[in-house]
Structure formats: C-alpha cells, structure tokens
Amino acid sequence: MPLPHLPLDAITIGAHADDWPAAITAAGDALVRSGAATSAYTERMIAVIREFGAYIVIAPGLALAHARPGADVLTDGLCVVTLAEPVSFGHPHNDPVSVIVGLAVTGADDHLQFVAELANVFNDPKVIPALAGATSAEFVQSVFAP
Amino acid sequence: MKIVVMCGIGLGTSAILKVNAERALERLDIEASVQATDVAGVRAAAADAQVILTSSELAPVIGKTNADVIVINNYFDVDELVAKLEIALGS
C-alpha cells in the first residue's frame, strides 16, 4: 500500500496553536476536512498523548499525531499541518514542534508499507525544515508525491 | 536475534522505528527480527529479545527486563540507530 494521496484540503499552512492540544486539533480538523476521519478521532489522538506523553514527537520539530484504528476512521488518510509559531509538547530532545503529520489508518496490519513510505520521505533531514518553512499547500503536497 | 520496538499504541511511531531499525541492521550486516509492540505488550514481546528500542518518554514504563533498553531521539536518523545498535550489540 503506497502513501495515501495527500489532498490539498488535508494540508494547513501556518496554523495558530497556543498549545499542543490545539496543534493536534488542527491536524484532526485537516483529517475531518479531507474525509479521512470524524472529530472523535481528534479526541483519540489527544488521548494517546495524555496517556503516554510526548513520545509522538519522533524527530526534531515533528509530531506524528495518530491513534488506533476505529469506527471514527473513515479511510486511510494523511494530513500535514505547519504551525505559525512552534509549540512545545514536553519532549526532552525534539521540542519545539513546527510540523504535525496526522495519520489515520483503518487497519493496524496493512499500514506498514505506508509507514515505510513516510520513513522514506523523512529520512532526508532537509524535509522537516523545508515543510516548516513551506508557504503553500502545493509545495507540501509535492514533498509527499511519489 | 530479536529486537523489539515499542510505542504507546504499537502502530504508527513504532512502525517507523521498525522500518528504520531494519535499515540500520542491514547497514550493520546483522540478522535480527524486529517486532513492533505497545506498552501493554512489551513485557511479553521482550521476554526473548536482546534489545528494546523506544523513546525517552516511554523507556521508564518498561520496568524490569533482561533486554538492553535503547532510547532513540530521532526516529528518522538511521545513523543514530546504527551507532546505538552497534554499541548494544557489540559488533
């Protein structure tokens, strides 16, 4: 399974968020807008961080917002939100966060290939700073294009 | 050899860590299976593992284990994974 198509309406450039729940909500809103999930999924992504901490900040400046599959996931989906001002999630090494990638998957087993594609994109260390400085959704879309 | 990658819910972040740990092992020419798990499953998954890879946030919840716990800061940095796995596996 390749990376799901990243539609323009799943991309938000320069979102304003006062804190990390607001930043995750912006990612949830993008998944709702693009038809991948309902707003209940947003709440579950926030709950994961409340339960386990800021471990989803997996690289400097980048948070991977996600939760388990569920009825609130309508289709596999990806979203990207860049923040106007970086937000602290409480991670000892990778704060502050300026890029949030939101992930919604319908099944746990078949998402590995899609995550491998995501790793291919982000294994280039220039990608996170480039996304953080993006000024158009079209640019962000091009970064994730196969 | 078995390596366990752990995240909060056992998918997404741990899957990224699994993919990049496999790339690091390939670079080190080490044969190992890499299994993704969540916090609830780590005790069972790591019973026969040499190494557990996870984040600094989650390392304290693992508790008592015979495996080496390695904290990875940047999940996309294969160089960091290579360096830390090389030390832990002593190759």
Side-chain angles (χ1 to χ4, degrees):
Chain A
M1 178 165 69
L3 214 48
H5 175 60
L6 179 64
L8 288 174
D9 62 2
I11 300 168
T12 305
I13 301 292
H16 292 273
D18 289 336
D19 51 22
W20 71 258
I24 298 295
T25 300
D29 289 348
L31 290 170
V32 170
R33 203 166 57 223
S34 61
T38 69
S39 59
Y41 187 69
T42 307
E43 295 308 315
R44 292 205 296 121
M45 291 195 293
I46 291 172
V48 166
I49 303 169
R50 292 208 193 283
E51 182 170 6
F52 298 111
Y55 83 93
I56 67 145
V57 185
I58 56 173
L62 179 86
L64 182 71
H66 64 300
R68 290 189 171 92
D72 47 12
V73 178
L74 306 174
T75 181
D76 290 325
L78 191 65
C79 76
V80 175
V81 172
T82 71
L83 299 175
E85 300 89 26
V87 163
S88 173
F89 275 64
H91 192 283
H93 299 280
N94 296 334
D95 268 343
V97 169
S98 35
V99 179
I100 298 151
V101 172
L103 191 64
V105 294
T106 51
D109 292 334
D110 56 18
H111 83 300
L112 273 172
Q113 183 55 36
F114 149 14
V115 168
E117 295 290 332
L118 206 55
N120 285 340
V121 171
F122 283 101
N123 283 358
D124 178 350
K126 294 189 293 292
V127 164
I128 297 170
L131 289 174
T135 54
S136 75
E138 287 77 8
F139 171 79
V140 171
Q141 192 178 45
S142 74
V143 169
F144 291 88
Chain B
M1 177 162 340
K2 180 175 169 186
I3 292 173
V4 168
V5 295
M6 182 188 85
C7 80
I9 60 174
L11 65 90
T13 42
S14 57
I16 284 174
L17 195 50
K18 173 178 157 72
V19 166
N20 280 336
E22 285 169 347
R23 288 171 183 170
L25 289 164
E26 199 171 310
R27 225 193 268 179
L28 289 165
D29 204 18
I30 294 172
E31 288 226 3
S33 68
V34 183
Q35 183 188 342
T37 187
D38 60 6
V39 166
V42 70
R43 204 67 65 84
D48 58 346
Q50 274 74 35
V51 171
I52 303 170
L53 299 175
T54 191
S55 74
S56 53
E57 295 279 299
L58 294 177
V61 309
I62 296 170
K64 196 167 159 7
T65 174
N66 290 323
D68 281 339
V69 177
I70 303 180
V71 168
I72 301 299
N73 295 326
N74 183 342
Y75 281 28
F76 293 115
D77 186 352
V78 178
D79 291 339
E80 179 184 346
L81 280 158
V82 166
K84 290 180 174 175
L85 283 170
E86 197 167 24
I87 292 168
L89 301 175
S91 65

